[in-house]
Amino acid sequence: MAVGSDIVTPELVGKHQFDELLDPSFDATHYAHELVRSRDTMELKADKISSIMTDLSATSSSLDARMRATVLGTHEQILEQVLGVASVDVTLEQVEDQVREIKQYMHALRTKIRVPYEQALEYTRQARNLQLATRHVRATSKFMQLVRRLAVQIPESGGRPDYALAALTLVDIERLVDTSDLCGIDVVDRALATEVTPRRQQTANEANEMLVGGMRRQHQSDVGSGLQILFNLGIISNAVDTRIQASIAALHTIITGRIDPRALHIGVREHNARATAIDGRDMVGIDTILWTRLEDMIDAVLASGLEVRVLERVLQRKRDVLRVDARVDASYLDVVASKLGDRVLALWWTKVVDTIAREIHASCDESSVVRQILTNNYPRLVQLFLPRLEPLLAARLGGVTSVRDLQSSVA
């Protein structure tokens, strides 16, 4: 069918004003009434209506022919697309089947991997627990061996204790407990409470008694035995520092307020109140009480200083294989001085001299009488200090020597 001449063109649409007819608000009845009421003659109106109807009919036929031609022309393409869609559906089903198979394979593979991994993980955990249990059993066994050794070294009765070796055993026990985490084991806790702790306290007390008694009696053997025990326990520096501070505190109690002017006047009154001579020969003045108390202070300083001196001598002679300041063979004194910052006697002497100096200055500042006595008798004051304290000050007798003095002499 030849439909090329009947196809509706834009010019035709514009000619018959199809835009008005195609408007969504177009009202056919209203349009007919307007057409009838127009001033044209009936013949013109009939011709106009007939022309519009003819154009609409031709346009409808043209559109129908064009739709048929379009359907006939695209039929093959539509069939191909339908077949393509069917092929795509088949392909998608195949892909879904393959994806399903892959999922099943991955699930099986995951099962094959996960189950052995979980088993290996469980075996590893069991091996770790077994290793930890073995380590604890070994540490507990070693702990009990050390406790039995300690009981032999410090028997409860019927034997002479060896505190030096017991100190080494106590250190081994402490190191083992700290590194092996044995807390919570009944046998360990019970042994610590009933055997280790009391024996450690007994060993430390015995060492301190040896040290204090040896210093008081100037007995170097006892001092050395006490120091050896304290060194084996690993507390020699703290123990020596405690003894030095105790000596300084005791001297501070003796020196403080000893030559205070008010205390001197009280001493004069008490002494003169006890005087019995008729002529008053046994009555004294403030200068006598001052020199007497200064002599007492120096005697106390000398007695305490001799104890500290014997302590330093033994510390210097006792040695152990330690690395202190890059030296293999170091004395106990080197170990203690590295902790305290100076040698024992020098540290003690510095504190005691400061205490004496503060007391003398305070007394002179408060009383011009005391200042005048000490100033006028300065040679006597010097002779009071130097000859009496020569055992502490003379280097040839092992006197006061500080670490700074040693460093300057080496330099």
Side-chain angles (χ1 to χ4, degrees):
M1 176 185 292
V3 294
S5 59
D6 296 332
I7 294 176
V8 178
T9 63
E11 291 80 9
L12 182 60
V13 174
K15 179 180 178 181
H16 296 286
Q17 299 179 355
F18 284 148
D19 288 342
E20 182 179 1
L21 299 179
L22 296 175
D23 191 349
S25 62
F26 174 74
D27 188 358
T29 303
H30 178 70
Y31 182 77
H33 283 295
E34 290 294 331
L35 187 62
V36 171
R37 275 197 249 139
S38 64
R39 296 179 181 181
D40 296 334
T41 61
M42 294 299 296
E43 292 78 3
L44 291 175
K45 293 178 180 179
D47 292 339
K48 187 175 182 180
I49 292 173
S50 177
S51 175
I52 293 174
M53 293 300 295
T54 301
D55 291 340
L56 289 175
S57 177
T59 302
S60 176
S61 299
S62 175
L63 290 175
D64 183 61
R66 189 175 184 86
M67 289 177 60
R68 288 177 180 275
T70 301
V71 171
L72 292 174
T74 59
H75 178 70
E76 296 296 333
Q77 296 179 357
I78 293 174
L79 289 178
E80 292 178 358
Q81 292 176 359
V82 170
L83 293 176
V85 171
S87 176
V88 169
D89 290 338
V90 174
T91 303
L92 288 177
E93 291 179 358
Q94 295 177 353
V95 171
E96 289 178 355
D97 293 338
Q98 293 176 359
V99 170
R100 193 177 300 108
E101 292 178 358
I102 292 174
K103 288 183 178 179
Q104 293 176 356
Y105 173 75
M106 293 301 295
H107 179 71
L109 182 62
R110 184 170 59 251
T111 302
K112 290 181 180 180
I113 296 176
R114 183 177 60 187
V115 172
Y117 171 75
E118 291 178 350
Q119 291 178 351
L121 191 63
E122 179 66 19
Y123 293 154
T124 303
R125 185 181 62 81
Q126 293 176 358
R128 187 184 302 111
N129 293 338
L130 181 60
Q131 183 181 8
L132 184 62
T134 304
R135 187 184 302 117
H136 278 80
V137 170
R138 186 183 297 112
T140 304
S141 176
K142 184 177 180 181
F143 173 82
M144 297 308 300
Q145 291 177 2
L146 292 174
V147 171
R148 287 192 292 269
R149 184 197 303 174
L150 181 63
V152 172
Q153 293 168 348
I154 307 179
E156 293 184 358
S157 61
R160 183 176 181 180
D162 189 345
Y163 290 107
L165 293 179
L168 294 175
T169 304
L170 287 168
V171 172
D172 292 338
I173 292 175
E174 292 178 357
R175 188 181 300 113
L176 179 63
V177 172
D178 293 338
T179 57
S180 300
D181 190 19
L182 299 179
C183 298
I185 302 177
D186 292 339
V187 63
V188 174
D189 293 341
R190 185 165 55 253
L192 286 174
T194 59
E195 299 185 33
V196 177
T197 302
R199 283 181 169 86
R200 177 180 176 80
Q201 188 65 37
Q202 180 182 351
T203 303
N205 292 338
E206 184 68 22
N208 287 322
E209 289 178 3
M210 289 182 181
L211 181 62
V212 175
M215 290 172 61
R216 185 179 300 110
R217 296 188 303 271
Q218 299 288 298
H219 198 289
Q220 296 188 16
S221 178
D222 290 346
V223 175
S225 299
L227 290 176
Q228 182 68 57
I229 297 172
L230 294 172
F231 181 83
N232 292 345
L233 285 174
I235 59 174
I236 185 171
S237 298
N238 294 334
V240 171
D241 183 54
T242 301
R243 291 307 314 150
I244 297 303
Q245 298 303 326
S247 176
I248 293 173
L251 287 176
H252 184 271
T253 302
I254 295 174
I255 295 173
T256 302
R258 187 66 176 171
I259 57 174
D260 181 74
R262 290 184 294 273
L264 292 175
H265 286 293
I266 293 174
V268 171
R269 288 196 299 270
E270 291 177 352
H271 184 276
N272 291 337
R274 294 191 299 269
T276 58
I278 299 177
D279 56 359
R281 287 178 300 175
D282 54 352
M283 299 184 67
V284 298
I286 191 174
D287 56 341
T288 304
I289 299 298
L290 174 60
W291 291 112
T292 301
R293 293 194 174 186
L294 284 174
E295 291 176 358
D296 294 340
M297 288 170 48
I298 298 305
D299 291 339
V301 170
L302 178 60
S304 180
L306 292 176
E307 295 179 2
V308 177
R309 189 190 66 176
V310 72
L311 173 62
E312 181 170 296
R313 282 183 175 180
V314 178
L315 283 171
Q316 190 170 10
R317 292 173 182 174
K318 296 284 290 185
R319 296 183 176 275
D320 199 88
V321 181
L322 294 175
R323 290 188 177 272
V324 179
D325 297 333
R327 290 174 297 173
V328 176
D329 189 15
S331 66
Y332 288 3
L333 183 59
D334 296 328
V335 177
V336 173
S338 65
K339 298 290 185 179
L340 303 184
D342 203 346
R343 292 162 69 92
V344 175
L345 189 56
L347 181 65
W348 173 87
W349 176 254
T350 302
K351 298 293 183 63
V352 171
V353 168
D354 289 341
T355 303
I356 296 174
R358 285 197 303 269
E359 184 66 19
I360 293 177
H361 284 303
S363 181
C364 292
D365 292 339
E366 188 172 349
S367 174
S368 58
V369 176
V370 174
R371 178 188 295 273
Q372 185 177 2
I373 293 173
L374 295 179
T375 302
N376 294 338
N377 297 275
Y378 181 73
R380 181 180 177 180
L381 181 63
V382 173
Q383 291 298 320
L384 177 65
F385 277 86
L386 292 183
R388 287 175 176 265
L389 299 180
E390 185 179 2
L392 301 181
L393 300 177
R396 61 184 178 83
L397 299 176
V400 178
T401 305
S402 69
V403 173
R404 292 179 295 273
D405 296 335
L406 293 176
Q407 292 174 350
S408 61
S409 62
V410 172

